Amino acid sequence: RAASPGTGVNQVNCHPFKAGRLLFCHNGRIEQFIRVRRRMQELFTDTAHQLVRGTTDSENVFALLLTFLSQDGLSEIPPWEQTTPFGHKRLVVAIQKVLRTIEKLSSEAGLGEGFNTCNFSLTDGETMVCTRYCSKSPHVPPPSLYYAFGDAQDLYAELTEEDEMPISGLHPKIVDDSTDPMTDESVNVSDDEEANYNSADEELESTSSDNNPILRHVPINLTLSKPGRILANVDAQKACLIVASNPLTRTHTWHRMPSNSIMWYTRGSFPELRLICDRGENGKRSSRVILTM
């Protein structure tokens, strides 16, 4: 693994981190983690603290996420013991709270000059939630993150056929979705679609904290992807979503996730993408794709 400063390179520090049916990966770093570690760990439940075996900022972030899941009041079963799927709403809200807490801890530690990068991937085996995030975006871009959505058998065949091919030999089609969809005039969504998305987002926000960042819909159903538009021409019952730091196949279209965005996908459904937006001083949606203190 590429270790963050002050952490060791050993097996217990390697991703993914596991608790019950949850797996978690983190590409990025928490700025000067040693200065926020103690304050972060003070937030952990006793069991979440005991689950930390290594020294990485990533595993501590996972413990923070487990703490928030255990305190959300949606299940009497601790997340590390839960055997049923969590559902995307619960996982998304927990990740929102993790991002907000990391920024709050960094601010309280006087680390405003640095930045945090949080490309997270979380799954319970049925739902996957991933983020591409940097606290100083757009001035500092987060690490790269791409996704491909299509027929599961076709994607699996491409992945296994190319296992022995060096990455330099791959020439995938890449679609840059990093343009801010909030100002992209080429993206048009019908009034009915927008109403449905707003209703779904309001329901998601109703289970979230007032301090959590707002999520703004990105209409990926209008994005082109082999064998066609992502949502219109792919059978969700036969499809899968792959997310990776770099494209992994030659022929399938890979899309770059926008900076400061979050995507979720549940088996048998379609992926959804949101921008992570600041609530602003009045608590309403802001067009800025950053979090403020």
Side-chain angles (χ1 to χ4, degrees):
R1 63 180 297 271
S4 300
T7 64
V9 180
N10 52 57
Q11 189 167 358
V12 295
N13 283 342
C14 290
H15 304 228
F17 301 106
K18 184 179 186 300
R21 63 180 293 153
L22 293 171
L23 292 177
F24 177 79
C25 295
H26 171 208
N27 181 25
R29 59 86 186 263
I30 306 303
E31 174 76 14
Q32 298 190 48
F33 177 62
I34 193 171
R35 292 179 56 181
V36 302
R37 179 175 58 195
R38 182 170 180 176
R39 289 293 306 279
M40 180 182 289
Q41 291 178 342
E42 289 174 352
L43 301 174
F44 297 172
T45 64
D46 289 342
T47 303
H49 193 282
Q50 294 165 11
L51 291 173
V52 178
R53 301 174 57 224
T55 59
T56 65
D57 52 358
S58 304
E59 190 176 16
N60 278 270
V61 168
F62 185 37
L64 183 64
L65 188 146
L66 291 171
T67 293
F68 292 152
L69 284 172
S70 70
Q71 296 172 342
D72 63 10
L74 297 177
S75 175
E76 296 181 357
I77 303 173
W80 43 84
E81 296 179 4
Q82 184 166 323
T83 58
T84 56
F86 287 73
H88 78 270
K89 294 177 185 177
R90 192 177 177 197
L91 298 180
V92 168
V93 168
I95 285 184
Q96 285 181 270
K97 192 169 184 180
V98 166
L99 289 173
R100 175 63 183 170
T101 301
I102 290 172
E103 296 310 312
K104 183 174 183 290
L105 293 174
S106 293
S107 177
E108 291 172 350
L111 300 175
E113 296 300 317
F115 59 89
N116 302 308
T117 49
C118 301
N119 282 18
F120 296 153
S121 178
L122 173 70
T123 183
D124 65 358
E126 287 294 321
T127 294
M128 178 171 66
V129 181
C130 51
T131 61
R132 182 177 181 232
Y133 177 83
C134 177
S135 59
K136 287 294 179 68
S137 176
H139 306 294
V140 180
S144 63
L145 197 62
Y146 296 83
Y147 66 91
F149 180 68
D151 184 87
Q153 290 188 350
D154 291 345
L155 279 169
Y156 179 77
E158 288 189 42
L159 287 171
T160 54
E161 288 172 0
E162 293 161 1
D163 279 346
E164 297 181 0
M165 176 176 291
I167 294 297
S168 60
L170 299 180
H171 301 284
K173 179 180 178 182
I174 298 175
V175 176
D176 189 351
D177 294 337
S178 60
T179 300
D180 187 349
M182 292 181 289
T183 59
D184 185 354
E185 296 179 355
S186 66
V187 175
N188 297 302
V189 183
S190 71
D191 292 341
D192 288 343
E193 286 178 314
E194 185 65 28
N196 289 337
Y197 292 131
N198 289 340
S199 175
D201 288 345
E202 288 170 3
E203 182 181 355
L204 183 61
E205 288 171 24
S206 70
T207 64
S208 180
S209 165
D210 289 340
N211 292 324
N212 279 354
I214 290 259
L215 305 183
R216 183 159 182 174
H217 175 254
V218 179
I220 58 175
N221 59 311
L222 302 179
T223 306
L224 290 176
S225 178
K226 292 181 181 178
R229 294 189 183 277
I230 287 183
L231 304 190
N233 296 86
V234 177
D235 183 349
Q237 298 302 316
K238 299 179 180 179
C240 72
L241 177 73
I242 301 177
V243 179
S245 297
N246 293 287
L248 301 177
T249 63
R250 284 179 295 178
T251 60
H252 202 92
T253 302
W254 287 79
H255 302 269
R256 184 181 289 111
M257 279 185 63
S259 295
N260 287 21
S261 62
I262 183 168
M263 173 177 280
W264 59 86
Y265 166 73
T266 298
R267 191 191 307 271
S269 64
F270 294 108
E272 296 194 41
L273 180 64
R274 300 289 189 274
L275 295 178
I276 301 171
C277 302
D278 174 27
R279 281 186 177 269
E281 294 182 358
N282 59 1
K284 303 297 184 180
R285 297 189 183 200
S286 166
S287 61
R288 298 170 62 202
V289 193
I290 59 174
L291 293 168
T292 59
M293 295 300 100

